[in-house]
Amino acid sequence: MTSLIKKNASGPADDGDANLLINEVVGVPGGIGEAARRGRAAAYDSFLRGLLPARDGVALLAVGGLGRRQCAPYGDLDLVLLHAGVPGTDELAASVWYPIWDAGLRLDHSVRTVAEALSVAQDDVKVALGLLDARLIVGDQALADALIRTAADHWRRTAVRHLPGLREVTEARWQAHGELAFLLEGDLKEAAGGLRDVGLLRAISAAGITDALRPAVRAAHLRLLDTRDALHQQVGRRVDRLVAQERDGVATLLGLRHLQPGASDGARRPGTVVEDGDALLRRVAGDARTVSHALDDAFRAADRLRSGRSRGGNGRPARRPVARDVVEHDGELVLARTAIGARPDPSLSLRVAAASATTRIPIARATCEWLAAYCPPLPAPWPAEARAALITLLGAGAGLVPAWETCDRYGLVDGWLPEWTRLRSLPQHNPVHRFTLDRHLVQTAHEASRHAREVERPDLLLLGALLHDIGKGLPGDHSTVGVPVAQAVATRVGLPAAEVELIGKLVRLHLLLPDVATRRDLSDPVTIASVAEAVGDTGTLDVLHALVRADAAATGPAAWSDWKGRLVAELVARVRTALDTGVLPEPPAPNPELLAGPLPVVHLTGDRVSVAAADRRGLLATVAGCLALHRLEVISADASAVDGRALVECRVQPRYGLPPDPVPLRADLRRAVAGDVSVTQRLRGRALASRGGGAAPRVVWHREAATDAVLLELRAADAAGLLYRVACALDEAGALVRAARISTLGADVVDAFYLVGGWPDDATRARLEAAVLAAV
């Protein structure tokens, strides 16, 4: 019979109170490091031994972190009450579990006989893995040994059969949590390369399949445990996700500090000692890579052991050629014997990487080690064969990322691109980015391969995608400082001068299309002419358009949306017309439905809101306020006057994902435009209650950005009702807004307002700027 007592799912009401209880009742020490973890395990052991008197036929076993003596400051207790069919086990279990709960500890528990535990382990591989860490706390030693020994023997006999299913579950977890090595805010336990993967390596080693726990893996494991300990201590509760705001504090606890020589942003004074959250993230990334690579190798070893490979006549695994000097052997890519015997050419490592990416067959570890040791450096400029192999590698699609990562693991990428050392695991301090810089660049190349057939020069698109952010981490605007770096790489790769110049242009202009599309009036001829002049020709325009989409896809879901895609596509179409014909396209005509019928006129169609009224003054502010009341964000707004009617046309999107009810929205717009005081009062009350925070807002003027207006650009924290408040301030200051463009970048916005007239006077502009900043 199996007896289970319900886990205290709710746990202690407050983690801080729980900590007090733990310290008072259990006496668990804090601290970071192996000694501290063993000290916590010893304290828990002592506490638990006092709950269960020693007796025959009963044993209390620890599994999980306590079983391994790797207790985190705020970890769970995983316990098994093992019995030999003795009576009264329910009452006995209750006498153990309830004092644990009363001490404020989180508990995962079970009550089983040896046969029951083994039966569950046979059906549930997670339970089987847990029993590999089982350790007796108190009770019948012989009973505990019987379970521990039998579970280990059973795992050794059945591990190869269980590992495919375990790998499937593991890959689902990786899909859900991502790769710790490349995430800016990764889960130290669940993400690929995290602590749970070390448990898999331990299990594979225990099965005797391969020595997965090499010294480098053990060292990485200890550092990841230290990082988790510091994170628990920093936050004061159980948490495994290393978020950005905790990095510096965790780095301080781990002693990761350095002397700051100077910073271009002025945020830190030169010569001061600072907590190095970036160094922490890079260390975590390196450790996660070590764990991930070891697990990949271990899974492949298990696959070979489980299924075997096709054998030749001599009983050895068959060798199948896949590319020049590259063959498949036992499920991995290795070098042909002729390549090993002869002096290798410098392009060999790139050709092996390209073969791995295109066939999606991993490169054998011994092959990577041989290439790192014996493949000669590439000359400058590269031979054509090396250049072709690089483009094949970058254009391989889904096979690019694992092949590139394998080569980076063994230092091959540094031989191709010496600049990669600076880029590796470099954090990107922007909330829209999900990856470190190195992975973002490789991912952008992968995404760019989807658009290779849309452009005349797919090779330049792929190389530009890999290099577009190479200036990040250097002082200054990365789009500017990255140009000479990217051009140096392109020259070394062997591109002719004209193509080197184009790579530089792609780096310099890779943000042009999304910035203009979201911040400028696309109907203004000056907007189209300036972009056409910067781009120069339709071939470059197509490559930039593909690069923009690839960059956004590699950045994260917050970097792109349907409306942004439509705006960029509209800009590209208008610029293409200008480049093809030399004639600037005509601005779109206003919605004809606004020019007929009695006023006011309100039209709601998809993501467009159109309003016509008799008076232009204050109309934009009123419409923006109504939309904010109904939780709609304005993406763009155009205001004009036609045939004596004031028109405002907006593109909108729901602020919280669900569109509002169109009936009350239409009613509020009609009443507000007609001057209903009650709606205006609601607008002002809601707007005043929704002010943003963060850094001080800033106003930037652009005098040459429009044909008939001056551009006021507001950079501020995002907040509901911001457009309404700013439009009111501009209206009260006497400014007439012809158009507005709203661009949201994480928690910030860049709002551009086209003000009719030149506004040449400095004092007048200063007054207007002060009014806008006061409204924010």
Side-chain angles (χ1 to χ4, degrees):
M1 178 186 74
T2 299
S3 176
L4 297 177
I5 296 182
K6 185 178 180 182
K7 180 180 176 181
N8 183 7
S10 60
D14 180 80
D15 282 321
D17 293 341
N19 191 37
L20 291 175
L21 287 168
I22 292 169
N23 288 334
E24 292 173 2
V25 178
V26 184
V28 175
I32 299 165
E34 185 68 10
R37 289 188 286 273
R38 288 186 170 273
R40 283 189 285 271
Y44 284 130
D45 286 358
S46 178
F47 170 67
L48 294 170
R49 289 190 188 107
L51 303 180
L52 183 68
R55 56 181 290 187
D56 292 338
V58 177
L60 183 64
L61 276 64
V63 294
L66 180 57
R68 298 186 299 272
R69 293 188 173 92
Q70 294 172 344
C71 299
Y74 290 92
D76 290 354
L77 292 184
D78 297 313
L79 300 174
V80 178
L81 186 62
L82 194 66
H83 66 95
V86 299
T89 52
D90 283 351
E91 293 76 10
L92 184 62
S95 70
V96 177
W97 306 151
Y98 279 97
I100 295 173
W101 289 326
D102 292 340
L105 298 171
R106 300 173 66 93
L107 174 64
D108 199 355
H109 57 83
S110 61
V111 181
R112 294 188 174 112
T113 65
V114 172
E116 290 168 346
L118 294 174
S119 176
V120 174
Q122 187 171 359
D123 297 332
D124 189 337
V125 68
K126 292 182 179 179
V127 174
L129 296 186
L131 290 179
L132 297 178
D133 298 323
R135 179 175 62 85
L136 177 66
I137 299 294
V138 63
D140 191 326
Q141 180 74 56
L143 184 66
D145 287 347
L147 175 62
I148 294 171
R149 184 179 60 255
T150 307
D153 290 343
H154 180 267
W155 173 250
R156 280 191 290 271
R157 292 194 309 271
T158 63
V160 173
R161 175 166 52 85
H162 282 301
L163 281 177
L166 182 60
R167 184 171 188 171
E168 184 177 339
V169 172
T170 299
E171 289 175 347
R173 171 169 55 82
W174 293 345
Q175 186 69 29
H177 294 278
E179 298 170 86
L180 182 58
F182 306 114
L183 293 172
L184 296 172
E185 294 188 336
D187 190 304
L188 295 171
K189 184 176 182 181
E190 302 292 346
L195 293 170
R196 195 173 291 283
D197 282 355
V198 178
L200 294 177
L201 289 171
R202 192 165 48 250
I204 293 172
S205 293
I209 295 172
T210 183
D211 181 17
L213 292 176
R214 297 186 291 271
V217 176
R218 294 178 186 274
H221 180 212
L222 291 177
R223 285 191 293 267
L224 289 173
L225 288 173
D226 289 349
T227 303
R228 185 185 63 176
D229 290 353
L231 180 59
H232 282 206
Q233 197 160 310
Q234 167 72 15
V235 178
R237 59 186 173 85
R238 176 186 174 182
V239 60
D240 294 321
R241 187 166 174 244
L242 183 60
V243 296
Q245 60 264 33
E246 305 297 350
R247 269 192 228 131
D248 281 351
V250 172
T252 300
L253 292 173
L254 293 173
L256 293 175
R257 294 188 170 195
H258 72 284
L259 185 68
Q260 178 76 12
S264 62
D265 60 3
R268 292 170 173 171
R269 296 193 307 275
T272 60
V273 176
V274 297
E275 298 80 11
D276 201 339
D278 287 3
L280 169 64
L281 194 62
R282 284 186 151 181
R283 191 178 87 168
V284 168
D287 292 336
R289 276 178 155 144
T290 298
V291 172
S292 289
H293 296 149
L295 188 55
D296 286 343
D297 289 344
F299 273 140
R300 289 203 298 272
D303 287 344
R304 289 194 296 271
L305 188 61
R306 178 178 62 88
S307 60
R309 303 292 177 187
S310 59
R311 304 277 164 173
N314 57 5
R316 297 177 180 177
R319 295 167 67 91
R320 178 177 65 90
V322 296
R324 186 166 70 87
D325 296 329
V326 185
V327 298
E328 179 190 359
H329 173 77
D330 218 10
E332 296 177 326
L333 292 188
V334 300
L335 294 174
R337 295 184 180 92
T338 54
I340 297 175
R343 176 177 174 81
D345 71 85
S347 66
L348 181 58
S349 62
L350 274 164
R351 290 191 286 109
V352 173
S356 175
T358 53
T359 62
R360 302 192 189 181
I361 301 173
I363 309 171
R365 184 174 72 184
T367 299
C368 291
E369 292 171 345
W370 190 93
L371 290 170
Y374 299 110
C375 190
L378 286 159
W382 288 10
E385 191 173 29
R387 189 165 55 253
L390 175 64
I391 298 305
T392 301
L393 171 63
L394 296 178
L400 165 63
V401 174
W404 187 280
E405 176 60 14
T406 297
C407 293
D408 195 22
R409 170 189 180 185
Y410 292 96
L412 301 179
V413 174
D414 289 350
W416 309 335
L417 303 171
E419 297 83 359
W420 204 255
T421 302
R422 178 179 60 82
L423 307 176
R424 185 179 293 110
S425 303
L426 185 67
Q428 303 196 76
H429 299 289
N430 188 308
V432 302
H433 276 279
R434 58 178 171 171
F435 291 133
T436 53
L437 179 58
D438 55 338
R439 173 58 187 276
H440 171 71
L441 294 176
V442 177
Q443 188 70 29
T444 304
H446 161 54
E447 300 291 345
S449 67
R450 304 176 191 274
H451 306 288
R453 297 181 182 180
E454 303 171 13
V455 299
E456 295 177 0
R457 291 298 303 271
D459 54 337
L460 299 184
L461 167 62
L462 295 170
L463 188 58
L466 182 69
L467 302 177
H468 75 284
D469 276 347
I470 200 169
K472 285 188 174 179
L474 300 174
D477 181 353
H478 76 280
S479 298
T480 302
V481 300
V483 172
V485 182
Q487 289 180 327
V489 173
T491 300
R492 191 188 321 131
V493 167
L495 296 184
E499 295 176 7
V500 169
E501 191 67 25
L502 180 55
I503 290 295
K505 179 184 281 192
L506 294 178
V507 173
R508 185 174 64 254
L509 301 181
H510 74 272
L511 296 176
L512 175 68
L513 297 181
D515 282 354
V516 171
T518 57
R519 301 181 189 178
R520 296 295 181 262
D521 181 7
L522 303 188
S523 65
D524 194 310
V526 170
T527 300
I528 306 304
S530 63
V531 175
E533 181 180 3
V535 172
D537 59 83
T538 57
T540 303
L541 179 66
D542 289 338
V543 174
L544 278 174
H545 190 199
L547 178 56
V548 164
R549 288 173 285 169
D551 187 14
T555 298
W560 198 250
S561 62
D562 290 342
W563 69 264
K564 192 169 185 178
R566 289 196 300 270
L567 289 176
V568 171
E570 180 181 341
L571 172 62
V572 168
R574 288 175 173 274
V575 172
R576 181 184 302 282
T577 299
L579 290 171
D580 281 340
T581 66
V583 178
L584 296 174
E586 291 292 329
N591 184 350
E593 296 177 330
L594 300 180
L595 304 179
L599 298 174
V601 179
V602 175
H603 279 283
L604 308 179
T605 308
D607 64 348
R608 293 181 180 271
V609 175
S610 304
V611 176
D615 188 3
R616 185 174 184 179
R617 181 63 64 184
L619 181 60
L620 175 60
T622 299
V623 172
C626 273
L627 296 176
L629 273 177
H630 290 266
R631 296 180 173 83
L632 285 172
E633 291 180 333
V634 178
I635 300 165
S636 66
D638 293 294
S640 60
V642 178
D643 297 335
R645 293 180 175 229
L647 311 179
V648 169
E649 298 181 78
C650 301
R651 282 182 171 176
V652 299
Q653 65 180 4
R655 190 171 186 85
Y656 301 111
L658 295 176
D661 188 337
V663 176
L665 172 60
R666 184 180 288 106
D668 274 351
L669 283 168
R670 287 182 177 277
R671 290 164 54 204
V673 169
D676 190 317
V677 177
S678 64
V679 178
T680 305
Q681 289 174 341
R682 288 168 57 205
L683 296 180
R684 292 188 178 276
R686 175 71 63 86
L688 290 174
S690 304
R691 293 183 181 272
R698 181 185 174 202
V699 167
V700 179
W701 293 88
H702 302 274
R703 299 192 186 186
E704 308 296 332
T707 52
D708 61 346
V710 65
L711 192 64
L712 182 153
E713 193 173 80
L714 171 65
R715 302 174 184 179
D718 189 19
L722 178 62
L723 176 59
Y724 168 67
R725 293 196 303 274
V726 174
C728 284
L730 291 171
D731 182 55
E732 292 169 0
L736 187 61
V737 179
R738 174 174 67 74
R741 294 293 180 272
I742 287 74
S743 177
T744 303
L745 305 171
D748 292 338
V749 294
V750 179
D751 291 353
F753 298 89
Y754 285 76
L755 309 182
V756 176
W759 296 86
D761 182 71
D762 290 342
T764 304
R765 285 203 310 276
R767 176 177 58 83
L768 197 61
E769 181 176 328
V772 169
L773 294 176
V776 175

